[in-house]
Amino acid sequence: MAGKEIEGSVLGEIRRLETGEIRTFPIERLGYVRSVVSTYGPAWRRRFSTSTDRKAGTITVRRIA
């Protein structure tokens, strides 16, 4: 499943993810994206994984539960 490029706010895009979905963000948002998934994930009762691709300059978020 390919990642979808950012369309709206980072927080909104991550919150709308369904289990198994992926979103890709610019690496400049790395700190904020990781903060969102670690802070809001437990509050929303959701689990996320992140991976970075330095060569492509992206961070990918996948909802895993």
Side-chain angles (χ1 to χ4, degrees), residues 15-40:
R15 186 170 195 166
R16 285 188 291 273
L17 286 176
E18 297 293 331
T19 302
E21 284 189 320
I22 298 170
R23 291 293 183 276
T24 303
F25 302 99
I27 202 161
E28 293 82 13
R29 305 300 296 169
L30 175 71
Y32 181 65
V33 169
R34 287 199 174 152
S35 177
V36 167
V37 299
S38 66
T39 302
Y40 291 104

Side-chain angles (χ1 to χ4, degrees), residues 1-61:
M1 184 182 291
K4 185 177 177 186
E5 290 297 324
I6 186 170
E7 292 176 354
S9 72
V10 172
L11 181 63
E13 286 289 308
I14 292 172
R15 186 170 195 166
R16 285 188 291 273
L17 286 176
E18 297 293 331
T19 302
E21 284 189 320
I22 298 170
R23 291 293 183 276
T24 303
F25 302 99
I27 202 161
E28 293 82 13
R29 305 300 296 169
L30 175 71
Y32 181 65
V33 169
R34 287 199 174 152
S35 177
V36 167
V37 299
S38 66
T39 302
Y40 291 104
W44 296 334
R45 297 180 183 193
R46 298 174 184 171
R47 292 184 58 212
F48 300 95
S49 68
T50 61
S51 61
T52 55
D53 183 342
R54 292 174 190 241
K55 197 176 266 191
T58 59
I59 179 169
T60 301
V61 178

